[in-house]
Amino acid sequence: MAAQSQAIVAPTDAELLQAQADLWRHSLYYLTSMALKCAVELHIPTAIHNLGGSASLLDLTAALSLPPAKLPFLRRMMRLLIASGIFVSDSNTEVETYRLNPLSWLLVEGVEAEDHTNQKYFVLGTISRQYVEAALSLADWFKKDLAPPLPSPFEELHGVPNLDESTPFPEEEFDMIVHEGVAAHDNLAMGKIISKCRDIFKGVKSLTDCCGGDGKTARAIIKAFPGIKCTVLDLPKVIEKAATDDVINYVAGDMFKLVPSAQVVLLKLVLHFWSDEDCVKILEQCRKAIPSRKQGGKVIIIEIVMGHYMGQIMYEAQLLMDMIMMVNTKGRQRDENDWREIFMKAGFTDYKIVKKIGARGIIEVYP
């Protein structure tokens, strides 16, 4: 028996007008991203910072060495960025002034602060021509009957996988921007995580940081816990550039083949780049590297744990981070059920979400 069709209730005039406005916003949101990219390329956050944290339009135009004829256009762009929460303005004075907020503070270059990691390259990477072109190809990608393992839209369009050390992107500048953006993203708020989750490092004598790069995270851990002996594992081309010393043991290798033995293995913002199957392989190597739970063996994972626990805006940010993974890599963001399934497949017996800080969760996984 055919399902009865439901009568369509026509929207009211007010609903239609609101729907049209919502359609404008969703169709044109890319202009906010492009305005943000422009602000970063013009160094507007840094200029406001250097002008004492507050700048008029004339001050800003002069500091940026822009032609005076562009002043009214800069005003219009700043108006959008203020409405979007990227800057704030003080319009109660005779002359409107622009100020930084926490978001634009992250884009100031040259700031020396313990938990400030400039996010310039994250913006330039995520709004790059190569990423945007990959997103524009989504409909074509969905229509193609591609053989597994499925390439990402980025790989299908550009012919090489993204963030693959064996086949770097042919445009060196883009490759540099993406890697710098990932590093900036990964290092942000590490000091906060250590201070808020000190218990996870108590009693730890040795730790291997998988994909630890230049050792910035390992150094932060050693600074807070001098008794921990840290090893950084990364690919040979990464380790070659690291500033070696007696504080950290750098190992060039492949986490799919061998993870250096330690009481604890750290995977900080690594697994979201990989498929579920690859995550299981990585975690199996991590499990082989650590002792039993009774001897303090565990894997510490810092990753997004998707969910509504911090409200709609944070959840939307998590969904967008999942989409950028889908478009540009073979990885994804995961909710707690997804993580649990991967942990069990990799042979672990238990896990605990120790704390959720922002969009990220700090997870202990036990052998």
Side-chain angles (χ1 to χ4, degrees):
M1 184 177 181
Q4 292 182 343
S5 60
Q6 294 184 345
I8 298 176
V9 179
T12 65
D13 290 345
E15 288 172 335
L16 283 173
L17 291 172
Q18 182 61 54
Q20 184 184 48
D22 290 339
L23 188 61
W24 290 348
R25 288 189 303 111
H26 289 294
S27 299
L28 299 174
Y29 267 146
Y30 75 93
L31 290 170
T32 302
S33 298
M34 295 304 164
L36 171 61
K37 181 174 183 287
C38 177
V40 170
E41 291 176 330
L42 292 177
H43 309 287
I44 290 176
T46 304
I48 294 174
H49 175 75
N50 291 341
L51 288 166
S54 178
S56 69
L57 193 65
L58 283 172
D59 293 336
L60 204 52
T61 304
L64 300 174
S65 300
L66 299 179
K70 300 295 175 64
L71 187 147
F73 302 98
L74 181 62
R75 175 187 287 117
R76 289 161 67 182
M77 188 179 79
M78 291 299 292
R79 183 172 59 187
L80 172 63
L81 292 173
I82 289 164
S84 302
I86 296 167
F87 296 100
V88 292
S89 69
D90 187 356
S91 55
N92 295 326
T93 57
E94 186 175 335
V95 178
E96 182 178 19
T97 55
Y98 306 119
R99 292 182 286 107
L100 302 174
N101 61 8
L103 191 160
S104 44
W105 183 75
L106 289 175
L107 301 172
V108 175
E109 300 166 69
V111 170
E112 295 295 333
E114 183 176 349
D115 224 16
H116 180 279
T117 305
N118 180 261
Q119 299 296 302
K120 166 187 173 180
Y121 287 113
F122 177 80
V123 172
L124 297 181
T126 54
I127 315 176
S128 63
R129 172 181 57 80
Q130 293 84 352
Y131 272 30
V132 171
E133 287 175 349
L136 289 171
S137 74
L138 261 178
D140 290 337
W141 180 83
F142 270 110
K143 292 174 186 177
K144 290 180 180 177
D145 189 9
L146 301 167
L150 287 178
S152 67
F154 181 99
E155 182 179 356
E156 175 66 14
L157 178 68
H158 295 297
V160 293
N162 189 28
L163 293 165
D164 188 321
E165 301 299 336
S166 62
T167 54
F169 200 79
E171 297 178 35
E172 290 185 9
E173 184 181 7
F174 169 73
D175 201 51
M176 180 277 293
I177 287 172
V178 170
H179 280 84
E180 290 289 335
V182 169
H185 169 264
D186 291 357
N187 287 321
L188 181 65
M190 190 59 205
K192 179 71 70 178
I193 290 171
I194 292 173
S195 66
K196 293 287 186 182
C197 304
R198 294 185 65 85
D199 287 348
I200 66 174
F201 297 106
K202 283 185 178 178
V204 175
K205 294 179 173 60
S206 61
L207 179 146
T208 293
D209 183 6
C210 283
C211 298
D214 62 1
K216 187 171 183 178
T217 294
R219 292 180 193 281
I221 293 171
I222 292 170
K223 182 179 179 181
F225 301 92
I228 298 179
K229 181 181 178 182
C230 284
T231 296
V232 167
L233 171 69
D234 217 312
L235 295 170
K237 65 176 289 185
V238 177
I239 297 300
E240 286 171 5
K241 299 176 182 178
T244 57
D245 52 33
D246 296 331
V247 178
I248 296 171
N249 177 35
Y250 288 94
V251 175
D254 184 345
M255 63 183 172
F256 282 95
K257 296 178 180 177
L258 180 69
V259 174
S261 296
Q263 185 182 3
V264 171
V265 172
L266 174 66
L267 288 165
K268 177 173 67 73
L269 302 172
V270 171
L271 297 178
H272 63 269
F273 288 112
W274 300 98
S275 67
D276 290 358
E277 294 75 17
D278 283 337
C279 285
V280 170
K281 293 175 184 177
I282 293 167
L283 286 168
E284 285 175 340
Q285 294 300 325
C286 293
R287 182 169 53 81
K288 293 176 184 177
I290 60 175
S292 67
R293 183 175 183 177
K294 186 176 181 180
Q295 295 173 298
K298 62 184 178 182
V299 177
I300 298 173
I301 295 173
I302 302 174
E303 283 285 359
I304 285 177
V305 179
M306 295 183 68
H308 291 276
Y309 56 89
M310 290 198 70
Q312 183 61 28
I313 292 177
M314 189 67 79
Y315 183 57
E316 183 180 0
Q318 293 177 336
L319 294 174
L320 289 169
M321 291 296 286
D322 182 52
M323 281 298 295
I324 202 168
M325 290 296 104
M326 187 186 92
V327 172
N328 297 294
T329 75
K330 294 180 181 178
R332 67 188 182 104
Q333 306 297 346
R334 298 170 172 94
D335 61 23
E336 183 175 350
N337 290 332
D338 297 326
W339 286 119
R340 181 190 300 111
E341 184 175 348
I342 288 172
F343 299 154
M344 297 304 114
K345 284 183 178 179
F348 290 88
T349 61
D350 199 7
Y351 74 95
K352 177 173 67 174
I353 298 178
V354 177
K355 199 173 188 66
K356 293 176 180 176
I357 298 178
R360 298 167 183 168
I362 291 81
I363 310 170
E364 289 185 338
V365 191
Y366 310 110

